[in-house]
């Protein structure tokens, strides 16, 4: 081979892979591959939101099946085993596959926009977090085709141990906890680094949006508590399959140990789910009151205070267990103490609305509904923090009502406010205001109809987790009212689903700033471009968009003066 031939051959070997890669890159690809392979925080946020909403519909159907079973005395719609399975699926779905990933979706989409970043700090890690969450949901719901879990979403031992529930359903629940837990831990690390290191020029901690403050507090709790529940479910798995004896009292284990480990995660989990809703309310109220948030520093500090105090209250779920009196008093007082930073938020929110120029848009309806319903849930929470009262109503429908007043009225109302507030930014389309207000009133009335009367059921002695009751108990009318309320609540959610589907096709074009918002996501287009901002503005206040609009008006005035 001549030197010239050798040179041409070497050139071909170098250039051929580049030519092939170029031609492959130019080949048309199906649209869905962009979503599967994306590392764009906005697309990952949308994936979280769509997936979690799908699981929300599944969890809602499961709730309606339970309420249908309880609508009449001695009902046989569901047998005891199927009822327990549906109850377990519903509780687990709503906590691990709906509320937490919904907030992960909004956080992924909005945090880089609010802090003026181009993307999350670790885009590939961000994508991995979503796929781990999806894998956990698939593993969990695959158990429906084999042996669904039936030990409740708390999986109390020794009920959840192998001798009592030998199928694979509890194992699927354990794997769900592991997969979604890893997803949440990675997402929290990513969120914390993004907020700490990628803020826009001029955005110090004292100018950070309150939604971001709530996510910082949430991340702290996730990083401290999820490893504990991961260890607990691993111990349960080894008890079930490898002969260990952590939780079985018959061989020297302790069922109390499971409760301590689970609730050390479980009570902060309530605040993990509710703190982002606090952040949403803190963003929505000043926009539609047309005035600055009242007590910015107090609201931000109270989020961190809640994160700290939430680690000190777990045993108030265990007041019916043989704890020492000193422990009962400590956890009673700490449970009351956490009401203080929460009350600080509520008072500041009310002060924000006071004498404001109120704009009655749908996001404000859901935010105001949140204030009413969550406050009611907080009052019953203080009642349950008093251990003599708690012992009388523990494991009754009074606790079920309290729990749902906090989470459904709190987290879900916050989610709905976020959907109506940020849908124009995500899609570039406005949701229909008339349908939005119909959805609000159906959800508000349906929620009160479903859960307010359950306080009375609990006080009259109806235990939680029962699949039927006798006609001589006097509970039938109240349960029927609760079931009718549940279907009204479901109709309200369905109206929002229809509103979203309709607006995606023919909603009014939103523009970059339809609400006259306060934070940086309203500075860019709707929806934002792949790089988020053409120019990242300097932040000069807690409400940077107000300053930017003032500068635009001043520039326009000077131009007209010439």
């Amino acid at each position: 081979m001549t030197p010239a031939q050798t040179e041409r051959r070497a050139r071909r070997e170098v250039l051929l892979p580049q030519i092939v890669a170029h031609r492959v890159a130019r080949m048309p690809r199906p649209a869905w591959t962009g979503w599967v392979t994306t590392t764009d925080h906005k697309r990952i946020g949308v994936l979280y939101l769509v997936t979690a909403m799908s699981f929300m519909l599944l969890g809602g159907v499961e709730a309606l099946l339970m309420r249908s079973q309880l609508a009449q005395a001695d009902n046989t719609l569901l047998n005891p085993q199927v009822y327990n399975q549906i109850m377990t699926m519903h509780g687990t779905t709503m906590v691990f596959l709906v509320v937490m990933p919904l907030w992960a979706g909004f956080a992924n989409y909005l945090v880089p926009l609010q802090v003026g970043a181009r993307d999350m700090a670790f885009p590939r890690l961000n994508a991995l977090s979503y796929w781990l969450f999806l894998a956990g949901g698939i593993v969990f719901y695959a158990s429906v085709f084999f042996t669904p879990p039936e030990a409740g979403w708390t999986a109390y031992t020794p009920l959840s141990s192998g001798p009592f529930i030998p199928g694979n359903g509890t194992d699927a629940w354990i794997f769900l906890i592991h997969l979604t837990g890893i997803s949440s831990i990675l997402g929290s690390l990513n969120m914390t680094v993004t907020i700490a290191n990628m803020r826009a020029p001029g955005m110090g901690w004292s100018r950070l949006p309150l939604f971001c403050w709530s996510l910082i507090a949430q991340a702290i709790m996730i990083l401290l508590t999820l490893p504990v529940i991961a260890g607990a479910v691993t111990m349960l798995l080894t008890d079930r399959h490898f002969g260990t004896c952590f939780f079985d009292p018959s061989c020297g284990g302790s069922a109390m140990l499971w409760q301590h480990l689970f609730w050390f995660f479980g009570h902060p989990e309530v605040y993990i789910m509710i703190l982002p809703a606090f952040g949403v309310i803190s963003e929505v109220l000043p926009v539609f009151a047309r005035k600055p948030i009242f007590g910015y520093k107090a609201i931000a500090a109270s989020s961190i205070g809640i994160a700290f105090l939430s680690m000190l209250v777990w045993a108030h779920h265990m007041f019916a267990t043989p704890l020492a009196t000193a422990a009962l008093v400590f956890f009673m007082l700490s449970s009351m103490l956490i009401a203080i930073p929460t009350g600080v938020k509520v008072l500041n929110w009310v002060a924000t609305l006071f004498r404001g120029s109120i704009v009655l848009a749908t996001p404000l309806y859901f935010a105001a509904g949140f204030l009413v319903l969550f406050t009611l849930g907080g009052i019953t929470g203080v009642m349950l923090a008093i251990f003599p009262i708690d012992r009388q109503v523990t494991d009754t429908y009074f606790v079920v009502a309290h729990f749902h007043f906090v989470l459904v009225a709190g987290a879900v109302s916050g989610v709905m406010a976020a959907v109506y507030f940020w849908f124009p930014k995500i899609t570039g389309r406005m949701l229909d205001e008339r349908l939005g207000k119909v959805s609000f009133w159906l959800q508000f009335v349906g929620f009160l109809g479903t859960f307010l009367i359950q306080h009375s059921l609990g006080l009259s002695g109806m235990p939680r987790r029962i699949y039927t009751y006798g006609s001589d108990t006097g509970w039938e009318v109240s349960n029927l009212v609760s079931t009718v309320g549940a279907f009204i609540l479901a109709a309200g959610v369905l109206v929002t689903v229809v509103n979203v589907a309709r607006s995606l096709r023919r909603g009014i074009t939103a523009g970059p700033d339809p609400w006259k918002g306060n934070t940086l996501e309203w500075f860019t287009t709707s929806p934002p471009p792949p790089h988020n901002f053409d120019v990242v503005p300097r932040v000069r206040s807690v409400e940077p968009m107000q300053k930017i609009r003032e500068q635009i008006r001043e520039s326009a005035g000077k131009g007209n003066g010439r």
Side-chain angles (χ1 to χ4, degrees), residues 21-201:
H22 178 69
R23 290 179 177 176
V24 168
R26 293 184 61 185
M27 291 173 61
R29 295 182 179 181
W32 62 267
T33 60
W35 288 92
V36 172
T37 61
T38 187
T39 57
D40 181 358
H41 73 96
K42 297 181 291 297
R43 284 195 163 195
I44 292 171
V46 171
L47 287 171
Y48 265 114
L49 292 172
V50 172
T51 307
M53 286 291 186
S54 301
F55 282 123
M56 184 178 180
L57 296 178
L58 285 174
V61 170
E62 290 157 358
L64 293 178
L65 286 172
M66 288 191 293
R67 286 310 324 163
S68 298
Q69 166 64 22
L70 294 171
Q72 291 183 315
D74 302 311
N75 201 349
T76 57
L77 175 65
L78 304 174
N79 65 45
Q81 184 178 25
V82 172
Y83 183 89
N84 286 341
Q85 291 168 348
I86 290 175
M87 179 192 68
T88 303
M89 300 290 283
H90 165 74
T92 305
T93 297
M94 289 303 190
V95 172
F96 296 102
L97 297 176
V98 176
V99 178
M100 288 182 70
L102 277 174
W103 292 131
F106 281 114
N108 268 281
Y109 198 101
L110 294 165
V111 164
L113 294 170
Q114 287 198 333
V115 302
R118 303 293 186 186
D119 206 323
M120 296 290 285
F122 308 111
R124 289 183 177 85
L125 196 67
N126 200 25
L128 176 62
S129 298
Y130 167 75
W131 292 110
L132 286 171
F133 150 65
L134 180 60
I138 292 172
V139 167
F140 184 64
Y141 269 89
S143 67
V144 171
F145 302 103
F146 304 99
T147 311
E150 53 183 301
W153 81 275
T154 56
Y156 276 171
T157 59
L159 175 64
S160 57
S161 60
F164 292 97
I165 302 180
N168 295 322
T170 302
D171 299 330
W173 181 86
I174 290 170
F175 294 139
L176 164 78
I177 302 300
H178 275 304
L179 290 168
T180 56
I182 296 170
S183 169
S184 296
I185 289 171
L186 295 179
S188 296
L189 289 170
N190 208 351
M191 202 67 60
T192 303
V193 174
T194 302
I195 294 173
N197 295 328
M198 301 179 68
R199 300 191 302 275

Side-chain angles (χ1 to χ4, degrees), residues 367-414:
F370 169 96
L371 288 178
V372 174
L373 298 177
F374 179 77
T375 301
L376 291 174
I379 292 170
T380 57
V382 173
M383 292 171 63
L384 289 170
I386 304 170
F387 66 85
I389 295 176
D390 183 271
R391 284 179 171 176
Q392 298 302 313
V393 297
T394 190
D395 280 338
T396 70
Y397 260 77
F398 189 93
V399 178
V400 174
H402 159 71
F403 183 79
H404 285 83
F405 257 86
V406 172
L407 282 188
V408 178
V412 176
S413 292

Side-chain angles (χ1 to χ4, degrees), residues 347-368:
L347 291 174
N348 280 284
W349 290 330
V350 173
T352 300
L353 291 173
F354 184 65
R355 292 185 176 178
S357 301
I358 305 298
V359 178
L360 293 176
T362 303
L364 182 64
Y365 274 64
F366 280 103

Side-chain angles (χ1 to χ4, degrees), residues 234-236 238-239 244-248 251-255 257:
T234 302
M235 293 157 70
L236 177 60
T238 59
D239 271 12
T244 58
C245 191
F246 293 108
F247 305 120
D248 187 354
C251 60
S254 171
L257 174 61

Side-chain angles (χ1 to χ4, degrees), residues 112-114 116-118 520-521 523-524 529 531-537:
L113 294 170
Q114 287 198 333
R118 303 293 186 186
L520 285 183
E521 73 268 27
F523 180 73
T524 188
H531 54 281
N532 289 349
F533 300 95
D534 293 330
V535 177
V536 178

